[in-house]
């Protein structure tokens, strides 16, 4: 059949630099008895016209063709006028040739169809080889071809009615971003100049040149398709040919882009795509988007596409069928749909567009800032005020002492800073008393104190301590000590009771108890503060071995225990003061007593509770993405809320280190579970220890390393401590929840989703119990009293305040969805009211509309419509591609829930936290919906 019939080609701007290609339906003086044909011409730059193809055009398509031609002509009137004189000259010759060729094409097609047996296409399952089957093949084949022709006419009619506007954003080969077309081409030219050799760009460098460096295989297939279109058979191209390719790739015509995509699949150029060719392009798209599992299932999904697009079982699909699938993709995407706008959305947006004067804008921003940060502001103001008061008190006190005349303001500044250091060394312990803070969260103090910012406050106090140390130690060592040793004998006489009869030297002062303890404390603080910085704790600083141990969490953890030495030396330092001898004036121990005792009590409680909370490991699994899940028995006294976290210790890894992890099980579950991702040295070793105890998968289970109570190998011992409070535990205070997790940051919200689901199921059961309840029949004419009815109604003891929860999970790896696959399927199955709406986003896949992900999007929509399962996540929850449009997400939630109080909870990288916080601020300014932003801190 090859060569007897070519599929409809849509060239649009196929030869932009040299000429223009256009198609026009053939006409005659009379429409009666004359067949319409479609003639495809190529107008070359040397005034020659190349006849590309002549195809019969069905009568039903004449309107479609004329519409398409008319719209094209209306878009480009100048092209039509400039080409009309040439077309008029060749019209008669072309007309005769076209009619003759069309009739010959018809005769060849009929002859070919007679030789085309049923076993070649109509049935993939096989057909009868008997003589009767061969004789009956032709009528069945004719029926199949007629059915497909009817479907094509309907598809073209539907497209004519609706246009293809909704698909214009699809099949983009080049992501333009914010750059203009000229800037994009200039960048490509620059890349050509760098990569070209002797004025030619090789095929292997094509991907890098056009900006597809991360999708090289896809770009090579694209290169081959474009060269086939230009009848080139070369491994390299010139800049002019590259410009031709670029014009075709960036063409605004959807038909042109669709044709290029079709040609990528149709390698033999017969106008048909077979199942094997579909499989190849699926594997190519999966490779470009880093979807390894999709490559393994390419054959299955190719069969799915053929089943949908080739119901006649001819064994191939054509261009119009691929177009139909792309245009009808949205009809399949009826799951995890975006929120709908309401009339209130318009009013809220209009309210935000009203112009405000500069004073009103400033007052609005100030009011919002105060409303959002009043807890932090009053605590910080109180803290700074107390420090300033203590500094001023000591400064004035020593200003009136005789020592001031010898050592001057160096002494007063050092003593003022020392008083703030006493306060801050006491306060810095309070934010890390986690048990106390967890308890205080449930009290009324939570209304006035920002317990979510305990770690931030801890860091702020540490910064104040650094400033205090510099002022205190710096003034002593560089100012008042030199002044003292250089003072005259007369001035020194009044200081003999404090420093001795003999005036000390500089080294005497440094070697004294105050000097030694002070120097050791400064050294310990410098080490601890340095290793606690973001660069060292996150291993952003690289050192050669063995100095690489100075970075990472272990270095931070162990260096912080240097403060045990610091606090001991601080008390000694405060007792050996030169200028104070009375015990009740030595106030260092007074500042430290209560906080140190509270902190010691906390550490003792952790040690005792970890021994009391004996846990038994029930299940261990290692998931893709280096994630270890541990499921353990729940101690009877361990009560927690969703969103909280606990500390975990594994003596086989380290007998001293405790690490915090969000609890992923719900409070109603009979077990505890955590998901731990390998991010540092401790988690890496923990995974290694448990991987050694796991056994290979058995038949009927997934290919994960697993271990449970039946495992022959003994599992490592595990200790837990907690639970501890976190911002997410307050989710029940809000009408609507927006839960955003990045990668492993989804863990605190999985527990919330499971808890919400358990509450939904429980509420449904209680509602059913009430509806089925029948009060006892009255005896002897008695009536049912109100108390009996109230007892029945009390069975529904509560109702969910949370009307909706929106969960957005953004991850880079397809395997991440395995972590919580069971939870997502359970929510999708049991949440009949639609309280929970889940959205998965995979950033490794190119955004929807990109040609590299177009086929994946089609398969995803088709498979979910057929089987109810997402091909990427393997769950009933749809996976979106690229990153969420947060502005759109907030706008739609705001429009759906006017006047609601919405809690936005986030766990992940700080960059997105800033964006989400700004979104909350912007939407709080515009509408009546209230967004409260919370970020997880450990």
């Amino acid at each position: 059949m090859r060569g007897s019939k070519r599929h409809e080609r849509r060239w649009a701007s196929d030869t932009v630099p040299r000429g223009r290609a256009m198609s026009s339906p053939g006409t005659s003086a009379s429409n009666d008895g004359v067949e319409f044909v479609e003639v495809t011409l190529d107008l070359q730059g040397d005034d020659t016209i190349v006849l590309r193809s002549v195809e019969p055009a069905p009568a039903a398509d004449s309107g479609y063709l004329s519409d398409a031609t008319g719209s094209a002509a209306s878009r480009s009137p100048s092209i039509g006028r400039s080409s009309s004189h040439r077309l008029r000259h060749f019209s008669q010759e072309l007309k005769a040739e076209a009619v003759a060729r069309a009739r010959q094409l018809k005769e060849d097609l009929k002859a070919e169809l007679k030789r085309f047996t049923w076993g070649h296409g109509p049935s993939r399952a096989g057909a009868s080889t008997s003589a009767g089957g061969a004789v009956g093949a032709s009528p069945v084949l004719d029926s199949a071809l007629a059915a497909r022709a009817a479907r094509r006419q309907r598809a073209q009619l539907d497209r004519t009615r609706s246009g293809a506007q909704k698909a214009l954003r699809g099949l983009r080969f080049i992501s333009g971003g914010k750059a203009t077309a000229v800037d994009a081409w200039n960048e490509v030219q620059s890349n050509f100049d760098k990569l070209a050799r002797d004025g030619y760009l090789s095929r292997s460098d094509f991907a890098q040149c056009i900006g597809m460096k991360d999708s090289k295989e896809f770009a090579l297939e694209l290169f081959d398709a474009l060269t086939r279109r230009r009848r080139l058979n070369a491994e390299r191209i010139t800049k002019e040919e590259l410009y031709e390719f670029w014009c075709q790739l960036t063409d605004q015509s959807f038909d042109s882009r669709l044709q290029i995509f079709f040609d990528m699949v149709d390698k033999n150029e017969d106008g048909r795509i077979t199942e094997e060719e579909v499989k190849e392009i699926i594997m190519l798209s999966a490779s470009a988007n880093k979807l390894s599992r999709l490559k393994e299932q390419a054959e299955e999904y190719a069969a799915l596409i053929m089943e949908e697009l080739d119901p006649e079982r001819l064994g191939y699909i054509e261009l119009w069928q691929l177009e139909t699938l792309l245009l009808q993709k949205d009809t399949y995407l009826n799951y995890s749909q975006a929120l709908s706008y309401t009339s209130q959305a318009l009013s809220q947006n209009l309210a935000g567009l009203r112009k405000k004067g500069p004073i009103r804008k400033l007052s609005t921003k100030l009011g919002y800032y105060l409303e959002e940060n009043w807890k932090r502001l009053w605590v910080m103001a109180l803290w700074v005020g107390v420090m300033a008061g203590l500094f001023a008190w000591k400064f004035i006190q020593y200003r009136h002492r005789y020592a001031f005349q010898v050592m001057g303001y160096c002494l007063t500044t050092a003593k003022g800073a020392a008083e703030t250091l006493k306060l801050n060394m006491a306060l810095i312990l309070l934010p890390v008393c986690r048990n106390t803070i967890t308890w205080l969260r449930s009290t009324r103090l939570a209304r006035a104190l920002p317990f979510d910012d305990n770690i931030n406050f801890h860091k702020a106090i540490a910064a104040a301590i650094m400033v205090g140390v510099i002022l205190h130690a710096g003034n002593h060592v560089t100012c008042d000590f030199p002044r003292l040793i250089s003072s005259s004998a007369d001035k020194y006489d009044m200081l003999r009771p404090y420093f001795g009869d003999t005036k000390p030297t500089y080294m005497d002062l440094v070697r004294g108890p105050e000097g030694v303890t002070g120097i050791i404390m400064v050294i310990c603080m410098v080490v601890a503060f340095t290793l606690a910085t973001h660069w060292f704790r996150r291993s952003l600083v690289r050192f050669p071995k063995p100095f690489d141990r100075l970075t990472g969490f272990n270095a931070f953890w162990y260096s912080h225990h240097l403060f045990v030495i610091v606090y001991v030396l601080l008390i000694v330092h405060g007792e050996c003061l030169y200028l104070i001898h009375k015990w009740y004036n030595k106030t260092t121990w007074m500042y430290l007593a209560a906080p140190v005792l509270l902190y010691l009590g906390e550490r003792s409680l952790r040690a005792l509770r970890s021994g009391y909370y004996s846990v038994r490991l029930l299940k261990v699994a290692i998931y893709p993405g280096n994630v270890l899940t541990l499921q353990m028995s729940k101690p009877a006294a361990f009560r927690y809320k969703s969103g909280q976290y606990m500390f975990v210790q594994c003596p086989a890894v380290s007998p001293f280190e405790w690490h915090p992890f969000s609890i992923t099980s719900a409070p109603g579950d009979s077990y505890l579970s955590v998901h731990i991702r390998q991010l540092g040295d401790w988690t890496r070793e923990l995974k290694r220890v448990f991987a050694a105890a796991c056994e290979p998968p058995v038949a009927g289970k997934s290919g994960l390393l697993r271990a449970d109570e039946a495992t022959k190998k003994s599992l490592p011992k595990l200790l837990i401590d907690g639970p501890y409070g976190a911002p997410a535990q307050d989710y029940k205070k809000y009408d609507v929840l927006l839960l955003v997790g990045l990668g492993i940051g989804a863990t605190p919200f999985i527990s919330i989703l499971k808890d919400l689901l358990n509450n939904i199921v429980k509420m449904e059961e209680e509602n059913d119990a009430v509806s089925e309840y029948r009060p006892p029949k009255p005896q002897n004419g008695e009536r049912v009293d109100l108390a009996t009815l109230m007892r029945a109604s009390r069975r529904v003891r509560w109702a969910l305040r949370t009307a909706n929860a929106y969960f957005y999970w953004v991850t880079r790896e397809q395997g991440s969805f395995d972590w919580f696959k069971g939870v997502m399927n359970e929510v999708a199955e049991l949440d009949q009211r639609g309280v929970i709406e889940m959205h998965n986003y995979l950033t490794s896949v190119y955004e929807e509309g990109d040609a590299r992900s177009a086929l994946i999007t089609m398969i995803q929509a088709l498979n979910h419509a057929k089987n109810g399962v997402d091909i990427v996540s393997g769950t009933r929850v749809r996976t979106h591609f690229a990153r969420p449009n947060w502005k759109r997400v907030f706008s739609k939630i705001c429009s759906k829930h006017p006047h609601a109080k919405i809690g936005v909870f986030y766990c992940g990288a700080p960059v997105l936290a800033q964006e989400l916080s700004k979104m909350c601020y912007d939407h709080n300014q515009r509408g009546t919906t209230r967004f409260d932003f919370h970020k997880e801190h450990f």
Side-chain angles (χ1 to χ4, degrees), residues 496-793:
R496 292 180 186 275
Y498 306 106
F499 295 97
D501 294 334
T502 305
K503 185 167 60 175
T505 62
Y506 189 87
M507 292 305 301
D508 291 335
L509 295 173
V510 172
R511 287 196 297 259
E514 272 198 338
V516 173
T517 55
I519 292 172
I520 296 176
M521 282 192 293
V522 169
I523 294 173
C524 290
M525 286 183 179
V526 169
V527 173
F529 286 165
T530 301
L531 298 183
T533 58
H534 177 75
W535 300 279
F536 282 85
R537 186 176 178 179
R538 297 295 182 184
S539 299
L540 300 180
V541 179
R542 301 293 181 182
F543 291 115
K545 291 183 178 182
F547 300 104
D548 58 333
R549 293 182 175 272
L550 293 176
T551 63
F553 185 85
N554 279 350
F556 157 77
W557 174 259
Y558 288 115
S559 65
H560 252 55
H561 286 78
L562 291 173
F563 278 95
V564 175
I565 300 173
V566 170
Y567 277 97
V568 172
L569 294 178
L570 182 59
I571 294 175
V572 174
H573 187 82
E575 291 297 317
C576 301
L577 299 177
Y578 285 114
L579 298 176
I580 298 176
H581 291 162
K582 296 180 180 179
W583 70 271
Y584 52 83
N585 288 330
K586 300 176 181 180
T587 56
T588 303
W589 66 273
M590 300 179 187
Y591 280 97
L592 300 179
V596 169
L597 289 175
L598 179 62
Y599 184 75
L600 290 177
E602 289 257 345
R603 296 299 294 264
S604 301
L605 177 62
R606 172 183 292 183
L608 294 173
R609 193 165 54 185
S610 62
Y612 176 73
Y613 284 161
S614 59
V615 295
R616 186 179 74 261
L617 282 171
L618 304 176
K619 176 184 172 184
V620 178
I622 299 178
Y623 289 101
N626 291 320
V627 169
L628 170 70
T629 178
L630 302 175
Q631 191 178 109
M632 63 203 79
S633 61
K634 183 169 70 172
F638 194 94
R639 293 181 175 85
Y640 65 98
K641 299 178 181 178
S642 292
Q644 292 185 331
Y645 66 95
M646 66 182 182
F647 278 86
V648 175
Q649 185 199 76
C650 182
V653 177
S654 173
F656 305 108
E657 293 183 49
W658 291 85
H659 292 261
F661 299 100
S662 296
I663 304 172
T664 53
S665 54
D669 294 337
S670 59
Y671 60 88
L672 290 173
S673 67
V674 292
H675 288 67
I676 302 172
R677 185 166 192 178
Q678 177 182 314
L679 292 174
D681 40 15
W682 187 87
T683 52
R684 186 184 308 111
E685 184 65 16
L686 183 73
K687 181 199 166 189
R688 188 195 65 79
V689 168
F690 277 97
C694 291
E695 296 181 350
V698 296
K701 291 190 176 181
S702 64
L704 304 176
L705 290 174
R706 295 179 180 272
D708 51 33
E709 292 179 299
T711 303
K712 297 178 182 178
K713 299 179 183 179
S714 60
L715 295 174
K717 183 181 179 182
L718 208 66
L719 302 177
I720 65 171
D721 175 51
Y724 292 104
Q729 74 177 58
D730 298 326
Y731 73 94
K732 292 184 179 180
K733 297 179 180 179
Y734 296 96
D735 306 316
V736 179
L737 301 178
L738 175 56
L739 311 174
V740 182
L742 259 61
I744 198 65
T747 50
F749 310 129
I750 293 299
S751 178
I752 293 176
L753 294 179
K754 294 173 71 175
D755 190 39
L756 280 174
L757 184 62
N758 292 341
N759 290 337
I760 292 169
V761 173
K762 185 177 180 181
M763 186 172 64
E764 292 287 350
E765 291 174 352
E766 292 187 350
N767 285 335
D768 292 342
V770 170
S771 63
E772 295 174 0
Y773 177 77
R774 295 292 183 272
K777 293 183 178 181
Q779 301 291 333
N780 301 325
E782 296 178 359
R783 296 183 178 179
V784 179
D785 60 356
L786 180 61
T788 304
L789 296 175
M790 290 298 292
R791 279 195 298 273
S793 64

Side-chain angles (χ1 to χ4, degrees), residues 358-374 377 921 925:
I359 298 178
R360 187 175 179 183
K361 284 183 179 179
L362 182 61
S363 63
T364 302
K365 288 184 178 181
L366 181 61
Y368 177 80
Y369 181 81
L370 293 175
E371 186 178 2
E372 283 289 301
N373 299 281
W374 69 270
L377 290 174
Y921 169 77
Q925 297 297 308

